[in-house]
Amino acid sequence: MKRSELFFSFIQVPVDFIMLILAAITAFSIRNFPQIKELKPILYTFSFNDYLKIVLIVAPFFILIYALAGLYDIRVTKKFWQHILKIFAATSVGLLIIIVAIFLKREWFSSRFIILAAWGLAVFFVIFARLLLNQFQKWLLRKYGIGVHRVLLIGHNGKMDLINRLIKNNKNLGYKVVDRIETAHLKVISAIKQEKGIDEIILCEPGITDDDQEKLIDYCAINNINYKFIPTTLQTPRFEMSVLNGEPLIEIKHTPLDGWGKILKRIFDIIFSLFGIIITAPIMGLVAILIKLESQGPIIYKNERVGSNGIKFFVYKFRYMKWEYCVTHDNKNIKKAIELEKELIAKQSVRQGPLYKIKNDPRKTKVGRVIERFSIDELPQFFNVLFGSMSLVGPRPHQERVGQRRHKDQDDCHSVQKSGHFHSDQLFGMRIFRLGRSETRSLMNETGGSSRLLNPTTEHLSG
């Protein structure tokens, strides 16, 4: 989901809440009109303050119903009439629950007129507010291209010709065709992605083999690209169906962390990282003093890593090596440090391949050996989580030189999620090595499609 769509999804909650309150107040005001009193005399007196208290309790309940109905997935590519039907249905469900509650306990509230009027006004006000936001979102899309989904079309046939014309002739759909090709070769697609950017791929080419489709799906998962195809013979444990001009589309969902999942995960990260910092502050303070007393150099070691979508950032760790051996540009002796590291990897690494672990590493300090053994050196990463460069739980971020070698195998779904402070080996007490495609798919099915378990976590951090 685009950032603009996340923004509109988030802001829709307070807007809906205000519209519900406004509808309830308007219904209460209309009830006191002389014309209404003549048609239907007031049988029950109810103060506005007491009424407003009930409304403030009931309104969040309606917000919850809207959320369960999927009304906060505000994608620019969705048709507005779908939201209208959902708003009517969700508001009606809330009305029925309120009627049942009042029937069971009549003394809570007894004005049927206000209840029915508030229901009708709530439907109208919520739809009207969403229409204004929708039009503003469409205007941003047309005027500035904010929120547009860049689409790569794969296939040359009548169906794809129709979709190509439809997208190009209707900017309000929220799509922009960046290119159209016949092949599913990853080199061609990667070149287009580098040059023009790709948010979605729509495939409609029967000549493409199942093996090529599997590689394309893996590529889309790694690069966080939505994959859709017309029609389908594939099966997936997580998918979403939609229709474009009468043609069925099936979108494979690489991760549940989309839309509100991202927002809730960020809130979770902020709360628990602050909690972690407060709880571990005495330990971090003691470790900082011990590191400073034992050896010269900075207390915190900053190591550049590659996270979600290839974005580089610095991981914070307590330094557990002697400063002259730390592989960082801040170290004046970095060339000697790199040469020594290569020599140690060749002689003492207990792992093969791009990920390494040096046994009996002579570069560690006495304090460093203890804090590295018990993962105390990673406590400063709570600040990474708080600042948003990492997530509390997710795949381990790798060095760029390691990540380049790993991506050649197409086995890693690391780029789908933000890098995490807690990794799969820490959570599950195991280390998972390189998996073949069939093993990877089996494991993803067992974990609901999550990619957190698919990232080796044995890389040695030189700091």
Side-chain angles (χ1 to χ4, degrees):
M1 185 181 285
K2 293 283 188 175
R3 287 187 178 181
S4 62
E5 293 172 337
L6 283 173
F7 169 77
F8 280 101
S9 297
F10 182 78
I11 202 173
Q12 193 65 69
V13 175
V15 170
D16 284 348
F17 184 81
I18 293 171
M19 291 301 104
L20 290 169
I21 300 297
L22 183 61
I25 293 174
T26 305
F28 188 89
S29 302
I30 291 174
R31 184 67 185 93
N32 294 312
F33 284 3
Q35 298 85 345
I36 301 297
K37 288 182 179 180
E38 290 179 6
L39 293 174
K40 191 172 182 59
I42 296 177
L43 301 177
Y44 304 96
T45 57
F46 209 74
S47 69
F48 178 75
N49 289 335
D50 292 338
Y51 173 74
L52 189 59
K53 290 178 182 177
I54 294 176
V55 170
L56 291 174
I57 294 173
V58 172
F61 170 70
F62 273 83
I63 296 295
L64 177 61
I65 295 176
Y66 287 172
L68 294 175
L71 281 168
Y72 295 117
D73 183 12
I74 315 299
R75 293 176 184 263
V76 73
T77 54
K78 285 193 173 182
K79 294 190 177 295
F80 185 70
W81 64 264
Q82 295 174 331
H83 290 288
I84 293 176
L85 295 177
K86 284 187 176 182
I87 291 168
F88 180 82
T91 309
S92 299
V93 169
L95 172 68
L96 290 174
I97 295 174
I98 289 174
I99 290 174
V100 171
I102 292 175
F103 176 79
L104 296 174
K105 206 166 182 67
R106 195 175 181 82
E107 60 268 21
W108 284 351
F109 193 75
S110 302
S111 178
R112 289 171 292 180
F113 176 85
I114 291 180
I115 292 172
L116 292 174
W119 166 75
L121 289 169
V123 172
F124 174 76
F125 285 171
V126 172
I127 290 175
F128 180 73
R130 282 175 174 260
L131 178 62
L132 292 179
L133 282 175
N134 180 262
Q135 291 302 312
F136 180 58
Q137 193 176 11
K138 296 286 188 184
W139 179 77
L140 290 176
L141 180 71
R142 293 191 302 267
K143 187 76 173 178
Y144 301 105
I146 297 176
V148 66
H149 288 241
R150 298 163 295 181
V151 180
L152 172 65
L153 303 180
I154 302 178
H156 277 279
N157 48 61
K159 288 184 178 180
M160 197 57 79
D161 290 340
L162 181 63
I163 289 177
N164 189 31
R165 289 196 302 269
L166 180 69
I167 292 175
K168 288 186 175 181
N169 295 334
N170 192 347
K171 292 184 178 180
N172 284 335
L173 288 175
Y175 292 104
K176 177 186 176 182
V177 177
V178 295
D179 210 332
R180 184 177 176 185
I181 58 178
E182 296 182 15
T183 177
H185 291 317
L186 298 185
K187 288 184 179 179
V188 176
I189 296 173
S190 296
I192 296 172
K193 180 180 179 295
Q194 290 293 327
E195 182 181 353
K196 303 176 182 179
I198 301 174
D199 297 314
E200 296 187 13
I201 289 178
I202 299 179
L203 171 68
C204 185
E205 181 55 62
I208 295 177
T209 64
D210 289 344
D211 185 57
D212 287 339
Q213 288 194 47
E214 285 185 3
K215 291 178 181 178
L216 181 57
I217 291 172
D218 287 342
Y219 177 85
C220 290
I222 291 170
N223 292 278
N224 203 20
I225 298 173
N226 290 337
Y227 176 75
K228 301 178 180 179
F229 45 96
I230 314 171
T232 178
T233 55
L234 299 178
Q235 295 180 345
T236 174
R238 181 180 286 115
F239 64 89
E240 181 178 297
M241 293 196 65
S242 59
V243 177
L244 181 60
N245 196 40
E247 295 293 343
L249 294 178
I250 296 181
E251 176 183 352
I252 292 179
K253 308 298 288 186
H254 305 307
T255 170
L257 298 179
D258 196 9
W260 275 96
K262 277 187 178 180
I263 295 173
L264 294 175
K265 192 170 192 292
R266 183 64 190 131
I267 294 172
F268 172 86
D269 286 343
I270 292 172
I271 293 173
F272 281 90
S273 61
L274 284 172
F275 180 76
I277 290 170
I278 294 170
I279 293 297
T280 61
I283 299 174
M284 288 195 286
L286 177 61
V287 171
I289 294 171
L290 293 175
I291 291 174
K292 200 65 179 175
L293 289 175
E294 183 181 13
S295 62
Q296 294 182 347
I299 296 170
I300 299 296
Y301 173 76
K302 296 189 297 182
N303 186 252
E304 190 176 63
R305 297 275 157 157
V306 179
S308 176
N309 296 321
I311 298 174
K312 297 178 182 179
F313 67 99
F314 286 104
V315 167
Y316 303 136
K317 299 191 73 172
F318 281 124
R319 178 176 58 84
Y320 60 79
M321 290 188 181
K322 298 173 184 177
W323 177 241
E324 59 269 24
Y325 299 139
C326 290
V327 180
T328 174
H329 292 292
D330 295 332
N331 182 7
K332 296 179 180 179
N333 300 316
I334 185 173
K335 290 184 178 180
K336 293 182 178 179
I338 292 175
E339 290 176 2
L340 177 60
E341 183 182 65
K342 290 180 179 179
E343 182 181 338
L344 290 171
I345 291 172
K347 294 180 178 179
Q348 297 177 218
S349 178
V350 295
R351 303 255 195 270
Q352 300 257 338
L355 302 182
Y356 59 90
K357 186 172 182 65
I358 299 173
K359 186 177 181 180
N360 298 324
D361 195 331
R363 299 173 297 172
K364 294 179 183 178
T365 63
K366 293 179 181 179
V367 174
R369 292 184 186 280
V370 176
I371 64 173
E372 193 266 344
R373 180 181 178 185
F374 296 101
S375 297
I376 298 173
D377 61 310
E378 296 186 353
L379 291 180
Q381 289 175 24
F382 278 123
F383 289 96
N384 282 112
V385 177
L386 181 63
F387 299 150
S389 57
M390 292 177 66
S391 184
L392 199 64
V393 178
R396 183 168 191 151
H398 297 290
Q399 296 174 354
E400 184 178 16
R401 56 199 167 109
V402 175
Q404 288 174 348
R405 294 195 293 268
R406 287 168 53 82
H407 286 315
K408 290 180 181 179
D409 296 328
Q410 291 276 323
D411 287 332
D412 194 356
C413 296
H414 178 274
S415 297
V416 178
Q417 300 179 34
K418 189 181 290 184
S419 302
H421 173 63
F422 294 109
H423 322 302
S424 56
D425 58 332
Q426 294 171 321
L427 294 176
F428 296 95
M430 60 182 178
R431 301 189 182 269
I432 299 176
F433 301 100
R434 177 179 167 185
L435 303 175
R437 178 171 285 113
S438 60
E439 295 172 289
T440 301
R441 294 197 179 282
S442 175
L443 186 55
M444 288 184 72
N445 289 338
E446 293 175 9
T447 57
S450 172
S451 64
R452 288 198 301 266
L453 295 176
L454 304 183
N455 296 279
T457 57
T458 56
E459 181 187 355
H460 190 78
L461 181 62
S462 299

